[in-house]
Amino acid sequence: MKARVLTLSWLVAAAGIGMLPVCQAQAGVFDDDEARRAIITLRDQFNGFQATATQRIEQNSRAQLDMQNQLEGLRQEVARLRGQNEVLQNELATVQRAQKDFYTDLDGRLKKFEPQQVTVEGQEGLSQPGEKPEYDAALKQFQTGDFKGAGTAFSNFIKKYPQSPYVPLAQYWLGNAMYAQRDYRGSITVLQNMVQAYPTHAKVPDAMIAIANSQFESNQKVAARKTLEQVVAKYPGTEGAQAASNRLKTLK
């Protein structure tokens, strides 16, 4: 009986010893599968990460390319705007010069219609537009021997521009035009008015000599001599005084 029990115990022990490698082999297979699955999981995760990273890199590259394109577009737009700005500045400068020239020309034209401060034979005053041309036209008539036309022109000038600085000269030539037409009385009146109104005018000595000539021609020899003597006394050393002195020598 004991021998049978020992035999069974030995068989069980042997069986246990024989099953050990099988269990260990099964445990090793289990560990390899876990590791394989872990590797596969890691590989899938890496692949997924790599795909995501690649996608992000591509997205970033596209975004960077878009940004570069936008920057290039902005640079071109800035260049275009700068060009337009330069063109506009040139156009503005051109317009400003044209405007300045226009107003300068307009001012010059307007001045032709405005009174101008002038000095005529020492007589200062405002000259209205048209005065000088009208005076010159009348004087030209006198110089060409049209004494009647000149007298009418000077008379009209005096009436039209009573405050003109050319009035004393107009009166002087009017008096001479009347003398040339033998209107001695009219000549004396006009010239005396001129002498009284403008006693310091440069033409006064000549006007007084012209008065003396009209007085002499109208048989007022005493008055003529007196007028000439006044010229010599008032304007000594002048051409007028010399002319008056010479004229006195011819009076009888």
Side-chain angles (χ1 to χ4, degrees), residues 28-127:
V29 172
F30 175 79
D31 291 341
D32 289 342
D33 290 340
E34 290 293 330
R36 190 178 294 110
R37 283 193 297 271
I39 291 171
I40 291 172
T41 300
L42 289 173
R43 185 183 63 192
D44 292 342
Q45 289 177 352
F46 176 76
N47 290 337
F49 173 78
Q50 187 177 21
T52 302
T54 302
Q55 185 178 7
R56 289 183 178 177
I57 289 172
E58 292 176 352
Q59 290 175 348
N60 289 337
S61 297
R62 287 194 297 271
Q64 186 175 9
L65 182 60
D66 291 341
M67 185 173 293
Q68 288 177 347
N69 291 335
Q70 290 177 1
L71 287 174
E72 183 62 27
L74 289 174
R75 290 192 188 97
Q76 293 178 359
E77 182 66 14
V78 168
R80 184 181 68 82
L81 292 175
R82 284 178 178 172
Q84 287 184 347
N85 184 53
E86 184 175 354
V87 171
L88 290 174
Q89 285 181 343
N90 292 334
E91 289 179 351
L92 177 61
T94 301
V95 170
Q96 288 176 337
R97 286 194 297 270
Q99 190 177 40
K100 182 179 179 181
D101 293 341
F102 170 77
Y103 282 113
T104 300
D105 180 66
L106 179 62
D107 184 61
R109 293 185 180 185
L110 289 176
K111 283 183 178 180
K112 293 180 180 179
F113 299 97
E114 296 177 354
Q116 300 294 319
Q117 186 72 26
V118 297
T119 301
V120 182
E121 297 282 347
Q123 185 70 27
E124 294 184 359
L126 290 176
S127 176

Side-chain angles (χ1 to χ4, degrees), residues 1-14:
M1 186 70 178
K2 287 183 180 179
R4 188 177 178 181
V5 172
L6 289 171
T7 300
L8 290 172
S9 299
W10 181 86
L11 289 172
V12 171

